[in-house]
Amino acid sequence: MPLKWVFHGGVSAPHRKNTAESETSVLDIPEKVVIPMVQHIGAPCTPTVKPGDTVKVGQKIGDSEAYVSAPIHSSVSGTVTRVEPMLFAGGNLVMSVEIKTDGKQEVYEGISPPEIKNREDFLKAVRSSGLVGLGGAGFPTHVKLNPPKDKVIDCLIVNGAECEPYITSDYREMLENPDGIIEGIKLVLDYLSIPKAIMGIEDNKPKAYKLLKEKAQNDNRISVQSLRSRYPQGAEKTLVYALTGRKIPSGKLPADVGCVVLNVNTVAFIASYVKTGMPLVQRRVTVDGPVVNQPKNVLAPIGTSLQTLFDFCGGFKSTPYKVLMGGPMMGIAQYSLETSVIKNTNAILAFDKKEGDLPSEWPCIRCGRCVEACPMNLLPLEINRLVLANKIDELERYHILDCIECGSCSYSCPSKRHLVQSIRIGKDAVRRLKVNRN
């Protein structure tokens, strides 16, 4: 059945899903891993191990008492060699734990399936698992599943859109573990008393749509919908609108319109954890880009270096000009290949100069294409003008904090204005302004 609701704006970016039919390859255990204590939105973790300690797979090595946080576990067995600030994916130094692996991959003795009898047990188990949103945002899942008591959730939205070019890690989960996805959805519905779930899958993934629809047919609480392939279909606000017709107001969250949104990998991991008790210690990563010799989907321990992943994929055809963690629309450029895979890393991409170079800006011709492309109904050209003029106090009137940084404005701009880059600068300035006011 065709969907009634179509979100405003967006762009038709080329899909380039080169690894869509690439079954997941398992990486050999690397000689060492570097596990940052910042792998989620919220408070960073404090290391619970020190140099010289021996650790095993699944053992907790970092945690925080803050509510918005999630514990971090060792992905390997071996010896802790360093606990100190190390280079992070964002280009800054972050407290990290380096572990020299012993190749044994011994599982920590405390690993066992959690005992779950009620909602509170379920939320506690999700936190203990270290789960954060695996679609890229990295929000602690136990927090998302526990909205304020005045928010009544009546719909679980399951995100199978995967709208960014190149990335296929969600697609492979849908093909390789459909039963796990359905099982995870049922667990969330049962323990949180949510009456229904809607899974959205873009129409460029017909095999996944057909398979999940078949798997869900025996549970009338779960429906699977085909979405039009248009970037950024997978963003929370656009996805909720496309599947339910509900509009999330400015500054609000899906819970404000009765929804909670989880990625397909996130719900599948919940099912896995409830069955095994093994925390989140590995991640499927799409390794692709024009200069990668053998693009693949790779299952890698958290903390694996980008260099190790690229080596596993046959190295480079030529020296990469730019490496991104994430997709080409929202990914973060990497300073070094020594940075690590973290929980929400769904792709690493390597580009040559032709595709990776940032084009020169030309003056705005006020054509309005950025306005047409913005899925949040913002005015990117005006926000850009205010940021460049350093008129920070005026940016809030233009709802700059509603920007999801999808990059649709920059992609559609014929003058190649660096719109999303300036918006990021403006958002940071507005946040600092708010802190100073308080």
Side-chain angles (χ1 to χ4, degrees), residues 67 133 137 139-147 236 255 260-263:
Y67 178 60
F139 196 82
T141 304
H142 70 280
V143 179
K144 182 179 277 192
L145 293 178
N146 190 27
E236 280 195 340
V260 61
V261 183
L262 297 179
N263 175 270

Side-chain angles (χ1 to χ4, degrees), residues 17-34:
K17 304 285 190 181
N18 307 314
T19 56
E21 301 309 317
S22 167
E23 289 187 16
T24 305
S25 301
V26 179
L27 181 75
D28 297 332
I29 300 303
E31 292 183 0
K32 70 171 185 180
V33 294
V34 175

Side-chain angles (χ1 to χ4, degrees), residues 17 91 94 97 151 215 217 266 278 284 293 305 330-331 346 355 378 380 398 404:
K17 304 285 190 181
V94 164
V97 175
K151 312 295 182 189
K215 296 290 182 181
Q217 64 183 355
T266 304
M278 177 57 72
R284 180 190 293 107
N293 266 319
S305 74
M330 297 185 71
N346 55 6
E355 298 225 15
L378 303 179
Y398 286 84
I404 60 173

Side-chain angles (χ1 to χ4, degrees), residues 119-284:
R119 180 179 186 275
E120 286 65 35
D121 290 344
F122 180 68
L123 294 173
K124 183 179 178 182
V126 172
R127 188 196 185 280
S128 297
S129 75
L131 181 59
V132 302
L134 301 181
F139 196 82
T141 304
H142 70 280
V143 179
K144 182 179 277 192
L145 293 178
N146 190 27
K149 294 188 184 304
D150 63 330
K151 312 295 182 189
V152 179
I153 305 300
D154 64 4
C155 185
L156 168 65
I157 300 293
V158 182
N159 189 351
E162 198 165 57
C163 55
E164 275 235 36
Y166 288 100
I167 306 175
T168 61
S169 54
D170 286 352
Y171 179 65
R172 291 312 309 178
E173 185 71 14
M174 289 188 276
L175 292 188
E176 297 176 23
N177 187 26
D179 293 322
I181 293 171
I182 299 298
E183 190 177 342
I185 293 172
K186 290 179 179 179
L187 287 168
V188 175
L189 296 183
D190 289 343
Y191 283 113
L192 301 186
S193 300
I194 299 174
K196 66 178 179 182
I198 308 174
M199 185 187 308
I201 301 173
E202 280 196 337
D203 57 13
N204 62 353
K205 306 173 185 67
K207 284 168 58 178
Y209 172 73
K210 182 173 183 290
L211 182 58
L212 268 301
K213 202 163 181 67
E214 289 174 359
K215 296 290 182 181
Q217 64 183 355
N218 293 327
D219 192 326
N220 59 15
R221 298 175 301 172
I222 305 171
S223 65
V224 180
Q225 295 284 354
S226 179
L227 300 162
R228 67 168 181 164
S229 297
R230 186 167 181 81
Y231 180 83
Q233 180 70 83
E236 280 195 340
K237 289 189 176 183
T238 55
L239 188 64
V240 168
Y241 180 69
L243 292 174
T244 68
R246 303 175 187 178
K247 292 184 178 180
I248 302 173
S250 172
K252 300 295 183 181
L253 298 170
D256 291 291
V257 296
C259 296
V260 61
V261 183
L262 297 179
N263 175 270
V264 288
N265 268 293
T266 304
V267 290
F269 174 77
I270 290 174
S272 171
Y273 181 72
V274 169
K275 190 178 296 181
T276 68
M278 177 57 72
L280 181 57
V281 295
Q282 59 185 4
R283 188 67 219 267
R284 180 190 293 107

Side-chain angles (χ1 to χ4, degrees), residues 47-62:
T48 57
V49 292
K50 61 184 185 303
D53 287 352
T54 57
V55 294
K56 295 182 179 179
V57 180
Q59 181 175 341
K60 187 163 68 176
I61 60 171

